[in-house]
Short mmCIF file of all heavy atoms in Angstrom, two decimals:
data_model
loop_
_atom_site.label_atom_id
_atom_site.label_comp_id
_atom_site.label_asym_id
_atom_site.label_seq_id
_atom_site.Cartn_x
_atom_site.Cartn_y
_atom_site.Cartn_z
N ALA B 1 131.43 70.27 124.65
CA ALA B 1 131.59 69.73 123.30
C ALA B 1 130.25 69.82 122.57
O ALA B 1 129.19 69.81 123.20
CB ALA B 1 132.06 68.28 123.37
N GLY B 2 130.28 69.88 121.25
CA GLY B 2 129.03 69.97 120.50
C GLY B 2 129.26 70.31 119.05
O GLY B 2 130.40 70.40 118.58
N SER B 3 128.17 70.49 118.31
CA SER B 3 128.21 70.79 116.88
C SER B 3 127.41 72.05 116.59
O SER B 3 126.48 72.40 117.33
CB SER B 3 127.66 69.62 116.06
OG SER B 3 128.42 68.45 116.27
N PHE B 4 127.76 72.72 115.51
CA PHE B 4 127.03 73.92 115.09
C PHE B 4 127.26 74.16 113.60
O PHE B 4 128.12 73.53 112.98
CB PHE B 4 127.46 75.14 115.91
CG PHE B 4 128.83 75.69 115.55
CD1 PHE B 4 128.96 76.91 114.90
CD2 PHE B 4 129.99 75.00 115.86
CE1 PHE B 4 130.21 77.43 114.57
CE2 PHE B 4 131.24 75.50 115.54
CZ PHE B 4 131.35 76.73 114.89
N GLN B 5 126.49 75.08 113.04
CA GLN B 5 126.65 75.49 111.66
C GLN B 5 127.54 76.73 111.63
O GLN B 5 127.18 77.78 112.15
CB GLN B 5 125.30 75.77 111.01
CG GLN B 5 124.41 74.55 110.88
CD GLN B 5 125.02 73.49 109.98
OE1 GLN B 5 125.32 73.75 108.81
NE2 GLN B 5 125.21 72.29 110.51
N MET B 6 128.70 76.59 111.02
CA MET B 6 129.69 77.66 111.00
C MET B 6 129.62 78.43 109.69
O MET B 6 129.48 77.84 108.62
CB MET B 6 131.09 77.08 111.19
CG MET B 6 132.20 78.12 111.32
SD MET B 6 133.77 77.31 111.77
CE MET B 6 134.85 78.74 111.90
N GLY B 7 129.72 79.76 109.78
CA GLY B 7 129.71 80.59 108.58
C GLY B 7 128.36 81.20 108.31
O GLY B 7 127.42 81.09 109.11
N SER B 8 128.26 81.86 107.17
CA SER B 8 127.02 82.54 106.79
C SER B 8 126.97 82.68 105.28
O SER B 8 127.98 82.98 104.64
CB SER B 8 126.95 83.92 107.44
OG SER B 8 125.87 84.67 106.94
N ASN B 9 125.79 82.46 104.72
CA ASN B 9 125.58 82.67 103.29
C ASN B 9 124.87 83.99 103.02
O ASN B 9 124.26 84.19 101.97
CB ASN B 9 124.75 81.52 102.70
CG ASN B 9 125.55 80.23 102.64
OD1 ASN B 9 126.76 80.24 102.47
ND2 ASN B 9 124.87 79.09 102.80
N THR B 10 124.93 84.91 103.98
CA THR B 10 124.26 86.20 103.86
C THR B 10 124.75 86.94 102.62
O THR B 10 125.96 87.09 102.41
CB THR B 10 124.53 87.05 105.11
OG1 THR B 10 124.08 86.33 106.26
CG2 THR B 10 123.81 88.38 105.03
N PRO B 11 123.82 87.45 101.79
CA PRO B 11 124.23 88.20 100.60
C PRO B 11 124.79 89.57 100.97
O PRO B 11 124.63 90.06 102.10
CB PRO B 11 122.93 88.33 99.80
CG PRO B 11 121.85 88.26 100.84
CD PRO B 11 122.37 87.31 101.89
N GLY B 12 125.44 90.24 100.00
CA GLY B 12 125.97 91.57 100.21
C GLY B 12 124.85 92.59 100.37
O GLY B 12 123.68 92.32 100.10
N GLY B 13 125.21 93.78 100.82
CA GLY B 13 124.22 94.84 101.01
C GLY B 13 123.78 94.95 102.45
O GLY B 13 123.91 94.02 103.24
N ALA B 14 123.25 96.15 102.78
CA ALA B 14 122.83 96.43 104.15
C ALA B 14 121.71 95.48 104.57
O ALA B 14 120.92 95.04 103.74
CB ALA B 14 122.36 97.89 104.25
N PRO B 15 121.61 95.14 105.86
CA PRO B 15 122.45 95.64 106.95
C PRO B 15 123.64 94.75 107.29
O PRO B 15 124.43 95.09 108.17
CB PRO B 15 121.47 95.66 108.13
CG PRO B 15 120.61 94.46 107.89
CD PRO B 15 120.43 94.39 106.40
N TYR B 16 123.79 93.60 106.59
CA TYR B 16 124.81 92.64 107.02
C TYR B 16 126.07 92.65 106.15
O TYR B 16 127.14 92.26 106.61
CB TYR B 16 124.23 91.23 107.04
CG TYR B 16 123.04 91.09 107.95
CD1 TYR B 16 121.81 90.62 107.47
CD2 TYR B 16 123.12 91.43 109.29
CE1 TYR B 16 120.72 90.50 108.30
CE2 TYR B 16 122.03 91.32 110.14
CZ TYR B 16 120.82 90.85 109.63
OH TYR B 16 119.73 90.73 110.46
N PHE B 17 125.94 93.05 104.87
CA PHE B 17 127.08 93.14 103.97
C PHE B 17 127.87 91.83 103.97
O PHE B 17 129.08 91.79 104.23
CB PHE B 17 127.99 94.31 104.37
CG PHE B 17 127.30 95.64 104.30
CD1 PHE B 17 126.71 96.20 105.43
CD2 PHE B 17 127.21 96.33 103.10
CE1 PHE B 17 126.06 97.42 105.38
CE2 PHE B 17 126.56 97.56 103.04
CZ PHE B 17 125.98 98.11 104.18
N GLY B 18 127.17 90.73 103.69
CA GLY B 18 127.81 89.42 103.65
C GLY B 18 128.88 89.35 102.58
O GLY B 18 128.86 90.09 101.60
N ASP B 19 129.83 88.44 102.74
CA ASP B 19 130.89 88.27 101.75
C ASP B 19 131.29 86.81 101.69
O ASP B 19 130.90 86.00 102.53
CB ASP B 19 132.10 89.15 102.07
CG ASP B 19 132.75 88.79 103.39
OD1 ASP B 19 133.57 87.85 103.39
OD2 ASP B 19 132.43 89.42 104.41
N SER B 20 132.08 86.48 100.69
CA SER B 20 132.39 85.07 100.40
C SER B 20 133.29 84.44 101.46
O SER B 20 133.38 83.21 101.52
CB SER B 20 133.06 84.96 99.03
OG SER B 20 134.27 85.69 99.00
N THR B 21 133.98 85.23 102.29
CA THR B 21 134.91 84.63 103.26
C THR B 21 134.17 83.80 104.32
O THR B 21 134.79 82.94 104.95
CB THR B 21 135.74 85.71 103.99
OG1 THR B 21 134.87 86.55 104.75
CG2 THR B 21 136.53 86.54 102.99
N THR B 22 132.87 84.05 104.50
CA THR B 22 132.11 83.29 105.50
C THR B 22 131.39 82.09 104.88
O THR B 22 130.64 81.40 105.58
CB THR B 22 131.07 84.19 106.19
OG1 THR B 22 130.08 84.60 105.23
CG2 THR B 22 131.72 85.42 106.80
N GLN B 23 131.63 81.83 103.61
CA GLN B 23 130.93 80.76 102.89
C GLN B 23 131.90 79.63 102.57
O GLN B 23 133.10 79.85 102.42
CB GLN B 23 130.32 81.33 101.61
CG GLN B 23 129.35 82.46 101.85
CD GLN B 23 128.91 83.13 100.56
OE1 GLN B 23 129.23 82.69 99.46
NE2 GLN B 23 128.19 84.24 100.69
N PRO B 24 131.37 78.41 102.40
CA PRO B 24 129.98 78.02 102.61
C PRO B 24 129.69 77.74 104.09
O PRO B 24 130.60 77.44 104.87
CB PRO B 24 129.87 76.74 101.79
CG PRO B 24 131.23 76.12 101.94
CD PRO B 24 132.19 77.27 101.94
N VAL B 25 128.42 77.81 104.44
CA VAL B 25 128.02 77.34 105.76
C VAL B 25 128.29 75.84 105.83
O VAL B 25 127.99 75.11 104.88
CB VAL B 25 126.52 77.63 106.01
CG1 VAL B 25 126.08 77.00 107.33
CG2 VAL B 25 126.27 79.13 106.03
N HIS B 26 128.88 75.37 106.90
CA HIS B 26 129.25 73.97 107.01
C HIS B 26 129.14 73.51 108.46
O HIS B 26 129.24 74.31 109.40
CB HIS B 26 130.67 73.73 106.48
CG HIS B 26 131.71 74.58 107.11
ND1 HIS B 26 131.78 75.96 106.95
CD2 HIS B 26 132.75 74.27 107.94
CE1 HIS B 26 132.80 76.45 107.62
NE2 HIS B 26 133.40 75.45 108.24
N SER B 27 128.94 72.24 108.62
CA SER B 27 128.76 71.67 109.95
C SER B 27 130.12 71.44 110.60
O SER B 27 131.03 70.86 110.00
CB SER B 27 128.01 70.34 109.86
OG SER B 27 127.88 69.75 111.14
N VAL B 28 130.26 71.92 111.83
CA VAL B 28 131.51 71.77 112.58
C VAL B 28 131.20 71.10 113.93
O VAL B 28 130.25 71.48 114.61
CB VAL B 28 132.19 73.13 112.82
CG1 VAL B 28 133.37 73.00 113.78
CG2 VAL B 28 132.64 73.74 111.51
N THR B 29 132.01 70.13 114.26
CA THR B 29 131.92 69.48 115.57
C THR B 29 133.15 69.81 116.39
O THR B 29 134.28 69.66 115.91
CB THR B 29 131.79 67.95 115.42
OG1 THR B 29 130.57 67.65 114.75
CG2 THR B 29 131.80 67.27 116.79
#
C-alpha cells in the first residue's frame, strides 16, 4: 500500500509528446 503522484504535465513535442489525457498530476493513495 502507498501513495504516489499519478499522471504527467509534460508538454507536447519531442521526446515525450505529452498530452492532456495524463493531466492533471494528482495524488493517489
Side-chain angles (χ1 to χ4, degrees):
S3 299
F4 74 109
Q5 295 297 302
M6 185 172 182
S8 172
N9 289 329
T10 302
Y16 302 123
F17 299 94
D19 63 83
S20 61
T21 63
T22 66
Q23 301 172 7
V25 174
H26 54 293
S27 177
V28 172
T29 296

